[in-house]
Amino acid sequence: AQSVAQPEDQVNVAEGNPLTVKCTYSVSGNPYLFWYVQYPNRGLQFLLKYITGDNLVKGSYGFEAEFNKSQTSFHLKKPSALVSDSALYFCAVTSGTYKYIFGTGTRLKVLA
Amino acid sequence: GAVVSQHPSRVICKSGTSVKIECRSLDFQATTMFWYRQFPKQSLMLMATSNEGSKATYEQGVEKDKFLINHASLTLSTLTVTSAHPEDSSFYICSARDQGTGENSPLHFGNGTRLTVT
């Protein structure tokens, strides 16, 4: 069965510092991995995806993520956090069906 | 970019009434749309997959007679919460994928509907 784990409910980071939001997955077959961001009372916005190829994927708003097959991880990163990055972040996986599995979400709080 | 419009953004209704939520893909066609429910501080729970021209596929534990889904065209899916009760109060989000893109393309999400049943 497919699953996604986001082990941290909340991550706090000071503005200007690097941030990491963790995600691990379990899927049979090749994984398609995604990160989405959600602002209050809004839907989800696509940030980036990994399908194949380079393990380091760059996305919107300066975010990037690293696919690590041996650790089955897909952590979201940004070199320098902004207060405006504060939001709820979701990792998701699909294995080629149309059904996405979402993690439980990690609330990122960037402190000024 | 691909836009999904969801309406209304907020609705308050009385217990026992029905509420219809619309999800439209504005600049692409979607044979499949997805309806999610999100509880406070929790992840998205997939309720059902809406299929254009055929019956929706419901996830285990979701009452199909309670949550009626209609996908009458390639750009519109509706979710009707029938005989709403306070426990149906939640944030409902729809999503769709451009049918012209592959299975590994991202989903596009509506902005959600906050339903409050009094």
Side-chain angles (χ1 to χ4, degrees):
Chain A
Q2 298 178 160
S3 66
V4 175
Q6 292 182 243
E8 303 153 317
D9 290 337
Q10 181 160 322
V11 169
N12 294 329
V13 64
E15 187 176 30
N17 282 3
L19 68 88
T20 299
V21 182
K22 296 179 180 177
C23 171
T24 58
Y25 67 90
S26 174
V27 64
S28 56
N30 292 323
Y32 301 146
L33 295 154
F34 303 82
W35 275 101
Y36 287 85
V37 59
Q38 184 182 31
Y39 296 97
N41 293 309
R42 302 294 293 273
L44 276 67
Q45 296 178 32
F46 169 72
L47 279 180
L48 51 80
K49 67 178 180 181
Y50 172 82
I51 305 302
T52 186
D54 196 350
N55 289 342
L56 185 63
V57 178
K58 294 189 182 297
S60 306
Y61 313 120
F63 284 93
E64 58 189 29
E66 187 167 11
F67 172 65
N68 188 316
K69 187 173 183 178
S70 62
Q71 296 185 4
T72 60
S73 67
F74 189 56
H75 301 331
L76 181 70
K77 300 181 180 183
K78 187 173 182 179
S80 178
L82 300 173
V83 172
S84 57
D85 292 330
S86 299
L88 187 58
Y89 290 81
F90 288 99
C91 182
V93 67
T94 182
S95 63
T97 68
Y98 281 93
K99 186 179 290 189
Y100 274 47
I101 302 298
F102 285 88
T104 50
T106 299
R107 189 163 300 280
L108 173 66
K109 194 169 184 179
V110 181
L111 307 169
Chain B
V3 177
V4 173
S5 174
Q6 187 172 341
H7 179 81
S9 57
R10 292 176 182 272
V11 58
I12 301 172
C13 70
K14 292 187 177 180
S15 186
T17 61
S18 296
V19 173
K20 180 185 284 188
I21 302 169
E22 292 188 349
C23 181
R24 294 180 185 271
S25 55
L26 296 186
D27 48 4
F28 66 96
Q29 294 183 329
T31 54
T32 304
M33 293 187 178
F34 304 90
W35 288 96
Y36 294 87
R37 182 173 179 177
Q38 187 177 28
F39 294 95
K41 298 184 180 181
Q42 291 191 28
S43 186
L44 288 77
M45 181 192 79
L46 179 64
M47 299 174 65
T49 302
S50 171
N51 304 299
E52 187 267 335
S54 64
K55 291 182 179 180
T57 304
Y58 289 83
E59 295 300 302
Q60 192 171 8
V62 177
E63 298 176 62
K64 62 180 180 180
D65 295 330
K66 171 80 172 172
F67 299 100
L68 298 178
I69 290 173
N70 184 274
H71 194 152
S73 78
L74 287 172
T75 58
L76 174 63
S77 175
T78 60
L79 168 67
T80 301
V81 183
T82 63
S83 187
H85 290 283
E87 57 265 31
D88 298 325
S89 298
S90 192
F91 193 57
Y92 294 87
I93 309 175
C94 72
S95 71
R97 181 186 285 111
D98 187 340
Q99 71 170 27
T101 60
E103 61 191 8
N104 55 24
S105 59
L107 293 176
H108 304 289
F109 286 83
N111 279 333
T113 297
R114 173 74 58 192
L115 171 62
T116 303
V117 184
T118 61

PDB file of all heavy atoms in Angstrom, chain B residues 33-56:
ATOM      1  N   MET B  33     -12.076  14.349 -11.774  1.00  0.00           N
ATOM      2  CA  MET B  33     -11.872  15.332 -10.722  1.00  0.00           C
ATOM      3  C   MET B  33     -11.935  14.607  -9.389  1.00  0.00           C
ATOM      4  O   MET B  33     -12.519  13.528  -9.282  1.00  0.00           O
ATOM      5  CB  MET B  33     -12.922  16.442 -10.780  1.00  0.00           C
ATOM      6  CG  MET B  33     -12.813  17.325 -12.021  1.00  0.00           C
ATOM      7  SD  MET B  33     -13.957  18.731 -11.937  1.00  0.00           S
ATOM      8  CE  MET B  33     -13.555  19.577 -13.462  1.00  0.00           C
ATOM      9  N   PHE B  34     -11.347  15.195  -8.393  1.00  0.00           N
ATOM     10  CA  PHE B  34     -11.254  14.572  -7.082  1.00  0.00           C
ATOM     11  C   PHE B  34     -11.835  15.498  -6.025  1.00  0.00           C
ATOM     12  O   PHE B  34     -11.616  16.705  -6.053  1.00  0.00           O
ATOM     13  CB  PHE B  34      -9.794  14.270  -6.735  1.00  0.00           C
ATOM     14  CG  PHE B  34      -9.093  13.417  -7.754  1.00  0.00           C
ATOM     15  CD1 PHE B  34      -8.419  13.999  -8.814  1.00  0.00           C
ATOM     16  CD2 PHE B  34      -9.119  12.042  -7.655  1.00  0.00           C
ATOM     17  CE1 PHE B  34      -7.783  13.226  -9.767  1.00  0.00           C
ATOM     18  CE2 PHE B  34      -8.481  11.253  -8.601  1.00  0.00           C
ATOM     19  CZ  PHE B  34      -7.810  11.849  -9.652  1.00  0.00           C
ATOM     20  N   TRP B  35     -12.567  14.905  -5.097  1.00  0.00           N
ATOM     21  CA  TRP B  35     -13.127  15.672  -3.982  1.00  0.00           C
ATOM     22  C   TRP B  35     -12.473  15.229  -2.683  1.00  0.00           C
ATOM     23  O   TRP B  35     -12.431  14.032  -2.369  1.00  0.00           O
ATOM     24  CB  TRP B  35     -14.635  15.482  -3.905  1.00  0.00           C
ATOM     25  CG  TRP B  35     -15.365  16.192  -5.013  1.00  0.00           C
ATOM     26  CD1 TRP B  35     -15.784  15.675  -6.200  1.00  0.00           C
ATOM     27  CD2 TRP B  35     -15.754  17.571  -5.019  1.00  0.00           C
ATOM     28  NE1 TRP B  35     -16.392  16.651  -6.948  1.00  0.00           N
ATOM     29  CE2 TRP B  35     -16.395  17.814  -6.252  1.00  0.00           C
ATOM     30  CE3 TRP B  35     -15.617  18.624  -4.102  1.00  0.00           C
ATOM     31  CZ2 TRP B  35     -16.904  19.069  -6.594  1.00  0.00           C
ATOM     32  CZ3 TRP B  35     -16.130  19.862  -4.442  1.00  0.00           C
ATOM     33  CH2 TRP B  35     -16.757  20.076  -5.673  1.00  0.00           C
ATOM     34  N   TYR B  36     -11.983  16.225  -1.955  1.00  0.00           N
ATOM     35  CA  TYR B  36     -11.317  15.971  -0.684  1.00  0.00           C
ATOM     36  C   TYR B  36     -12.068  16.684   0.436  1.00  0.00           C
ATOM     37  O   TYR B  36     -12.724  17.701   0.225  1.00  0.00           O
ATOM     38  CB  TYR B  36      -9.880  16.499  -0.705  1.00  0.00           C
ATOM     39  CG  TYR B  36      -8.953  15.792  -1.663  1.00  0.00           C
ATOM     40  CD1 TYR B  36      -8.867  16.195  -2.990  1.00  0.00           C
ATOM     41  CD2 TYR B  36      -8.144  14.749  -1.236  1.00  0.00           C
ATOM     42  CE1 TYR B  36      -8.014  15.559  -3.871  1.00  0.00           C
ATOM     43  CE2 TYR B  36      -7.277  14.112  -2.112  1.00  0.00           C
ATOM     44  CZ  TYR B  36      -7.224  14.528  -3.428  1.00  0.00           C
ATOM     45  OH  TYR B  36      -6.371  13.899  -4.303  1.00  0.00           O
ATOM     46  N   ARG B  37     -11.869  16.158   1.616  1.00  0.00           N
ATOM     47  CA  ARG B  37     -12.374  16.814   2.810  1.00  0.00           C
ATOM     48  C   ARG B  37     -11.194  17.005   3.746  1.00  0.00           C
ATOM     49  O   ARG B  37     -10.357  16.101   3.906  1.00  0.00           O
ATOM     50  CB  ARG B  37     -13.445  15.933   3.468  1.00  0.00           C
ATOM     51  CG  ARG B  37     -14.079  16.531   4.690  1.00  0.00           C
ATOM     52  CD  ARG B  37     -15.236  15.668   5.155  1.00  0.00           C
ATOM     53  NE  ARG B  37     -15.837  16.218   6.356  1.00  0.00           N
ATOM     54  CZ  ARG B  37     -16.904  15.725   6.959  1.00  0.00           C
ATOM     55  NH1 ARG B  37     -17.497  14.642   6.465  1.00  0.00           N
ATOM     56  NH2 ARG B  37     -17.383  16.287   8.038  1.00  0.00           N
ATOM     57  N   GLN B  38     -11.132  18.176   4.335  1.00  0.00           N
ATOM     58  CA  GLN B  38     -10.012  18.479   5.215  1.00  0.00           C
ATOM     59  C   GLN B  38     -10.541  18.913   6.565  1.00  0.00           C
ATOM     60  O   GLN B  38     -11.289  19.883   6.676  1.00  0.00           O
ATOM     61  CB  GLN B  38      -9.127  19.577   4.623  1.00  0.00           C
ATOM     62  CG  GLN B  38      -7.855  19.833   5.402  1.00  0.00           C
ATOM     63  CD  GLN B  38      -6.983  20.884   4.736  1.00  0.00           C
ATOM     64  OE1 GLN B  38      -7.467  21.760   4.034  1.00  0.00           O
ATOM     65  NE2 GLN B  38      -5.673  20.799   4.954  1.00  0.00           N
ATOM     66  N   PHE B  39     -10.152  18.181   7.597  1.00  0.00           N
ATOM     67  CA  PHE B  39     -10.512  18.537   8.960  1.00  0.00           C
ATOM     68  C   PHE B  39      -9.454  19.466   9.524  1.00  0.00           C
ATOM     69  O   PHE B  39      -8.304  19.467   9.060  1.00  0.00           O
ATOM     70  CB  PHE B  39     -10.646  17.276   9.812  1.00  0.00           C
ATOM     71  CG  PHE B  39     -11.787  16.398   9.389  1.00  0.00           C
ATOM     72  CD1 PHE B  39     -11.586  15.329   8.528  1.00  0.00           C
ATOM     73  CD2 PHE B  39     -13.075  16.654   9.835  1.00  0.00           C
ATOM     74  CE1 PHE B  39     -12.637  14.529   8.123  1.00  0.00           C
ATOM     75  CE2 PHE B  39     -14.135  15.859   9.434  1.00  0.00           C
ATOM     76  CZ  PHE B  39     -13.915  14.796   8.574  1.00  0.00           C
ATOM     77  N   PRO B  40      -9.819  20.233  10.542  1.00  0.00           N
ATOM     78  CA  PRO B  40      -8.848  21.188  11.107  1.00  0.00           C
ATOM     79  C   PRO B  40      -7.540  20.520  11.490  1.00  0.00           C
ATOM     80  O   PRO B  40      -7.530  19.468  12.132  1.00  0.00           O
ATOM     81  CB  PRO B  40      -9.585  21.739  12.332  1.00  0.00           C
ATOM     82  CG  PRO B  40     -11.025  21.586  12.000  1.00  0.00           C
ATOM     83  CD  PRO B  40     -11.118  20.323  11.194  1.00  0.00           C
ATOM     84  N   LYS B  41      -6.468  21.111  11.045  1.00  0.00           N
ATOM     85  CA  LYS B  41      -5.122  20.650  11.380  1.00  0.00           C
ATOM     86  C   LYS B  41      -4.873  19.213  10.934  1.00  0.00           C
ATOM     87  O   LYS B  41      -4.065  18.502  11.530  1.00  0.00           O
ATOM     88  CB  LYS B  41      -4.857  20.804  12.879  1.00  0.00           C
ATOM     89  CG  LYS B  41      -4.927  22.242  13.362  1.00  0.00           C
ATOM     90  CD  LYS B  41      -4.563  22.379  14.822  1.00  0.00           C
ATOM     91  CE  LYS B  41      -4.640  23.842  15.245  1.00  0.00           C
ATOM     92  NZ  LYS B  41      -4.267  24.017  16.672  1.00  0.00           N
ATOM     93  N   GLN B  42      -5.560  18.792   9.910  1.00  0.00           N
ATOM     94  CA  GLN B  42      -5.358  17.438   9.405  1.00  0.00           C
ATOM     95  C   GLN B  42      -5.160  17.450   7.896  1.00  0.00           C
ATOM     96  O   GLN B  42      -5.338  18.467   7.232  1.00  0.00           O
ATOM     97  CB  GLN B  42      -6.551  16.550   9.767  1.00  0.00           C
ATOM     98  CG  GLN B  42      -6.664  16.267  11.248  1.00  0.00           C
ATOM     99  CD  GLN B  42      -7.685  15.183  11.524  1.00  0.00           C
ATOM    100  OE1 GLN B  42      -7.930  14.311  10.692  1.00  0.00           O
ATOM    101  NE2 GLN B  42      -8.276  15.223  12.685  1.00  0.00           N
ATOM    102  N   SER B  43      -4.789  16.299   7.402  1.00  0.00           N
ATOM    103  CA  SER B  43      -4.513  16.195   5.977  1.00  0.00           C
ATOM    104  C   SER B  43      -5.793  16.109   5.168  1.00  0.00           C
ATOM    105  O   SER B  43      -6.901  16.173   5.712  1.00  0.00           O
ATOM    106  CB  SER B  43      -3.646  14.972   5.725  1.00  0.00           C
ATOM    107  OG  SER B  43      -3.246  14.940   4.367  1.00  0.00           O
ATOM    108  N   LEU B  44      -5.620  15.970   3.888  1.00  0.00           N
ATOM    109  CA  LEU B  44      -6.767  15.847   2.999  1.00  0.00           C
ATOM    110  C   LEU B  44      -7.216  14.388   2.951  1.00  0.00           C
ATOM    111  O   LEU B  44      -6.406  13.488   2.772  1.00  0.00           O
ATOM    112  CB  LEU B  44      -6.393  16.291   1.587  1.00  0.00           C
ATOM    113  CG  LEU B  44      -6.195  17.771   1.361  1.00  0.00           C
ATOM    114  CD1 LEU B  44      -4.853  18.219   1.892  1.00  0.00           C
ATOM    115  CD2 LEU B  44      -6.310  18.104  -0.112  1.00  0.00           C
ATOM    116  N   MET B  45      -8.498  14.194   3.059  1.00  0.00           N
ATOM    117  CA  MET B  45      -9.057  12.866   2.942  1.00  0.00           C
ATOM    118  C   MET B  45      -9.785  12.774   1.605  1.00  0.00           C
ATOM    119  O   MET B  45     -10.721  13.537   1.349  1.00  0.00           O
ATOM    120  CB  MET B  45     -10.044  12.593   4.085  1.00  0.00           C
ATOM    121  CG  MET B  45     -10.654  11.198   4.035  1.00  0.00           C
ATOM    122  SD  MET B  45     -12.044  11.002   5.160  1.00  0.00           S
ATOM    123  CE  MET B  45     -13.349  11.804   4.242  1.00  0.00           C
ATOM    124  N   LEU B  46      -9.341  11.875   0.761  1.00  0.00           N
ATOM    125  CA  LEU B  46     -10.017  11.703  -0.521  1.00  0.00           C
ATOM    126  C   LEU B  46     -11.383  11.100  -0.276  1.00  0.00           C
ATOM    127  O   LEU B  46     -11.505  10.037   0.338  1.00  0.00           O
ATOM    128  CB  LEU B  46      -9.191  10.806  -1.443  1.00  0.00           C
ATOM    129  CG  LEU B  46      -9.795  10.517  -2.811  1.00  0.00           C
ATOM    130  CD1 LEU B  46      -9.920  11.799  -3.630  1.00  0.00           C
ATOM    131  CD2 LEU B  46      -8.956   9.494  -3.569  1.00  0.00           C
ATOM    132  N   MET B  47     -12.411  11.786  -0.751  1.00  0.00           N
ATOM    133  CA  MET B  47     -13.771  11.302  -0.586  1.00  0.00           C
ATOM    134  C   MET B  47     -14.200  10.466  -1.787  1.00  0.00           C
ATOM    135  O   MET B  47     -14.760   9.376  -1.640  1.00  0.00           O
ATOM    136  CB  MET B  47     -14.743  12.475  -0.441  1.00  0.00           C
ATOM    137  CG  MET B  47     -14.486  13.355   0.756  1.00  0.00           C
ATOM    138  SD  MET B  47     -15.564  14.791   0.733  1.00  0.00           S
ATOM    139  CE  MET B  47     -17.160  14.020   0.911  1.00  0.00           C
ATOM    140  N   ALA B  48     -13.936  11.004  -2.972  1.00  0.00           N
ATOM    141  CA  ALA B  48     -14.420  10.333  -4.165  1.00  0.00           C
ATOM    142  C   ALA B  48     -13.706  10.862  -5.390  1.00  0.00           C
ATOM    143  O   ALA B  48     -13.174  11.966  -5.395  1.00  0.00           O
ATOM    144  CB  ALA B  48     -15.925  10.537  -4.315  1.00  0.00           C
ATOM    145  N   THR B  49     -13.730  10.023  -6.410  1.00  0.00           N
ATOM    146  CA  THR B  49     -13.207  10.390  -7.716  1.00  0.00           C
ATOM    147  C   THR B  49     -14.381  10.573  -8.649  1.00  0.00           C
ATOM    148  O   THR B  49     -15.204   9.650  -8.809  1.00  0.00           O
ATOM    149  CB  THR B  49     -12.259   9.300  -8.244  1.00  0.00           C
ATOM    150  OG1 THR B  49     -11.197   9.119  -7.298  1.00  0.00           O
ATOM    151  CG2 THR B  49     -11.687   9.686  -9.590  1.00  0.00           C
ATOM    152  N   SER B  50     -14.454  11.739  -9.246  1.00  0.00           N
ATOM    153  CA  SER B  50     -15.574  12.086 -10.109  1.00  0.00           C
ATOM    154  C   SER B  50     -15.192  11.813 -11.561  1.00  0.00           C
ATOM    155  O   SER B  50     -14.168  12.290 -12.037  1.00  0.00           O
ATOM    156  CB  SER B  50     -15.875  13.580  -9.909  1.00  0.00           C
ATOM    157  OG  SER B  50     -16.799  14.049 -10.853  1.00  0.00           O
ATOM    158  N   ASN B  51     -15.987  11.028 -12.240  1.00  0.00           N
ATOM    159  CA  ASN B  51     -15.684  10.625 -13.611  1.00  0.00           C
ATOM    160  C   ASN B  51     -16.718  11.194 -14.576  1.00  0.00           C
ATOM    161  O   ASN B  51     -17.920  10.954 -14.406  1.00  0.00           O
ATOM    162  CB  ASN B  51     -15.679   9.097 -13.710  1.00  0.00           C
ATOM    163  CG  ASN B  51     -14.709   8.460 -12.738  1.00  0.00           C
ATOM    164  OD1 ASN B  51     -13.519   8.692 -12.783  1.00  0.00           O
ATOM    165  ND2 ASN B  51     -15.243   7.636 -11.841  1.00  0.00           N
ATOM    166  N   GLU B  52     -16.253  11.912 -15.559  1.00  0.00           N
ATOM    167  CA  GLU B  52     -17.154  12.534 -16.526  1.00  0.00           C
ATOM    168  C   GLU B  52     -17.980  11.490 -17.249  1.00  0.00           C
ATOM    169  O   GLU B  52     -17.443  10.525 -17.805  1.00  0.00           O
ATOM    170  CB  GLU B  52     -16.338  13.365 -17.517  1.00  0.00           C
ATOM    171  CG  GLU B  52     -17.182  14.201 -18.459  1.00  0.00           C
ATOM    172  CD  GLU B  52     -17.492  13.490 -19.772  1.00  0.00           C
ATOM    173  OE1 GLU B  52     -16.718  12.599 -20.156  1.00  0.00           O
ATOM    174  OE2 GLU B  52     -18.510  13.837 -20.407  1.00  0.00           O
ATOM    175  N   GLY B  53     -19.278  11.651 -17.194  1.00  0.00           N
ATOM    176  CA  GLY B  53     -20.181  10.776 -17.917  1.00  0.00           C
ATOM    177  C   GLY B  53     -20.459   9.435 -17.275  1.00  0.00           C
ATOM    178  O   GLY B  53     -21.165   8.599 -17.847  1.00  0.00           O
ATOM    179  N   SER B  54     -19.927   9.216 -16.093  1.00  0.00           N
ATOM    180  CA  SER B  54     -20.192   7.949 -15.412  1.00  0.00           C
ATOM    181  C   SER B  54     -20.267   8.175 -13.906  1.00  0.00           C
ATOM    182  O   SER B  54     -20.089   9.289 -13.426  1.00  0.00           O
ATOM    183  CB  SER B  54     -19.112   6.916 -15.752  1.00  0.00           C
ATOM    184  OG  SER B  54     -17.860   7.331 -15.272  1.00  0.00           O
ATOM    185  N   LYS B  55     -20.502   7.104 -13.184  1.00  0.00           N
ATOM    186  CA  LYS B  55     -20.670   7.228 -11.736  1.00  0.00           C
ATOM    187  C   LYS B  55     -19.338   7.532 -11.052  1.00  0.00           C
ATOM    188  O   LYS B  55     -18.276   7.079 -11.488  1.00  0.00           O
ATOM    189  CB  LYS B  55     -21.248   5.932 -11.171  1.00  0.00           C
ATOM    190  CG  LYS B  55     -22.684   5.663 -11.586  1.00  0.00           C
ATOM    191  CD  LYS B  55     -23.195   4.381 -10.932  1.00  0.00           C
ATOM    192  CE  LYS B  55     -24.638   4.121 -11.326  1.00  0.00           C
ATOM    193  NZ  LYS B  55     -25.156   2.874 -10.705  1.00  0.00           N
ATOM    194  N   ALA B  56     -19.461   8.250  -9.963  1.00  0.00           N
ATOM    195  CA  ALA B  56     -18.270   8.543  -9.172  1.00  0.00           C
ATOM    196  C   ALA B  56     -17.812   7.296  -8.421  1.00  0.00           C
ATOM    197  O   ALA B  56     -18.613   6.397  -8.138  1.00  0.00           O
ATOM    198  CB  ALA B  56     -18.567   9.671  -8.200  1.00  0.00           C
TER     199      ALA B  56
END
